[in-house]
Amino acid sequence: MKTPVALIISIYAFLLSAPLWGEISSHTSSKDKSRPVAPSGVRSPTEYVEGRWVEGSFQYKSARGSWEPTSSAYRADKDGMFLNAQGAAIDYKKGDILFKVRDSGWFKAKKDSPVSDVSEDPAIPNPQGVELSETERLIVRFTNLERMKRGLAPLKVSPQLQTLTERKAENMAKSRNLSHSVAPLPPGGENIAWNQASAREVVNSWMNSDGHRANILNRNYTTIGVGVAQGNGPYWAQMFK
């Protein structure tokens, strides 16, 4: 039986297109559509866009010199690459801030600017000088502002609780399991959350939940620890004692 000419032509055309198809597929997006693509084997530029954190939201400096809002932002927990809107591969390092501007693709900003001096902010009492990231400071700040609005004393940052809470967030992110049963267990109260975009958003979500709000406004608690870790989205945690 003779093979139809049309079928032969179709097979030949497919074989010719295979290398191009393979190259394109190597740059397709990961399962998490909200995160940058991570192509491999591509040399890329390393320029950073100037950025800053303001009240829990990330802003970038435009070509006009004005500070503009972003649609989402997070800190990378490992090295990688993403494709920008023009299809160029951009590399980033662990600790870089990756941010998105509407539908213009992803950008990076290496350093962020502190909102305030921790030592002068009454909403972030940290007598033992516990090292906190900017996001962690903002979680403490927004939590204590909710207490202070209601005449409650602000919670002090505890080194013991901070260690436990950071480990809790990391373990939830690694296991992709938002659960109070994930170790370590808290010595007092605990709030956890997943996939909120910023410190302000996660504290607002806790305040809109009866049980979480009760922990934040519990007058018997005097200390706090906070943590955030990246997995399939940000995992957030607070511990109180």
Side-chain angles (χ1 to χ4, degrees):
M1 178 177 177
K2 293 184 178 181
T3 304
V5 174
L7 178 58
I8 294 174
I9 293 173
S10 297
I11 293 173
Y12 182 68
F14 173 79
L15 292 175
L16 286 177
S17 66
L20 178 60
W21 176 84
E23 181 179 353
I24 294 173
S25 68
S26 69
H27 297 291
T28 54
S29 140
S30 61
K31 291 182 180 179
D32 186 348
K33 301 297 184 182
S34 66
R35 292 288 178 255
V37 177
S40 60
V42 182
R43 187 174 181 135
S44 58
T46 57
E47 290 79 7
Y48 293 94
V49 177
E50 187 175 355
R52 67 181 184 181
W53 291 102
V54 177
E55 294 294 307
S57 297
F58 194 75
Q59 299 178 345
Y60 74 99
K61 182 170 283 189
S62 70
R64 300 187 301 273
S66 59
W67 290 102
E68 304 292 341
T70 62
S71 58
S72 64
Y74 77 106
R75 189 182 297 278
D77 60 0
K78 58 185 177 181
D79 296 354
M81 295 183 188
F82 64 86
L83 298 181
N84 65 13
Q86 289 73 41
I90 309 296
D91 65 344
Y92 59 87
K93 301 296 183 183
K94 179 179 179 179
D96 285 349
I97 302 294
L98 305 180
F99 66 92
K100 193 172 187 180
V101 184
R102 300 185 185 89
D103 295 323
S104 299
W106 288 89
F107 300 87
K108 63 178 179 178
K110 188 174 184 180
K111 295 181 179 180
D112 55 337
S113 303
V115 173
S116 59
D117 186 339
V118 175
S119 64
E120 297 179 358
D121 193 334
I124 314 176
N126 191 2
Q128 298 189 55
V130 178
E131 184 177 351
L132 300 172
S133 70
E134 180 64 23
T135 299
E136 290 169 342
R137 286 195 291 269
L138 288 172
I139 299 171
V140 175
R141 183 172 188 270
F142 295 143
T143 297
N144 278 331
L145 286 177
E146 295 295 341
R147 290 175 61 88
M148 295 162 74
K149 288 177 190 175
R150 296 161 176 83
L152 300 173
L155 300 167
K156 297 177 182 178
V157 179
S158 159
Q160 292 78 20
L161 287 182
Q162 186 62 26
T163 298
L164 290 175
T165 314
E166 288 180 351
R167 194 179 306 155
K168 176 85 171 196
E170 290 169 1
N171 287 345
M172 289 193 298
K174 287 177 182 177
S175 62
R176 298 193 174 188
N177 182 18
L178 181 70
S179 172
H180 291 287
S181 64
V182 173
L185 301 181
E190 178 182 77
N191 287 345
I192 58 176
W194 173 73
N195 213 31
Q196 285 77 8
S198 66
R200 181 180 289 280
E201 184 177 324
V202 73
V203 172
N204 285 345
S205 70
W206 283 328
M207 288 300 294
N208 287 323
S209 167
D210 291 342
H212 297 93
R213 183 173 61 251
N215 278 335
I216 289 175
L217 302 181
N218 189 325
R219 63 179 62 252
N220 295 321
Y221 293 143
T222 59
T223 56
I224 188 174
V226 300
V228 58
Q230 291 294 332
N232 56 330
Y235 284 81
W236 308 82
Q238 292 180 310
M239 289 187 185
F240 309 90
K241 187 176 179 182

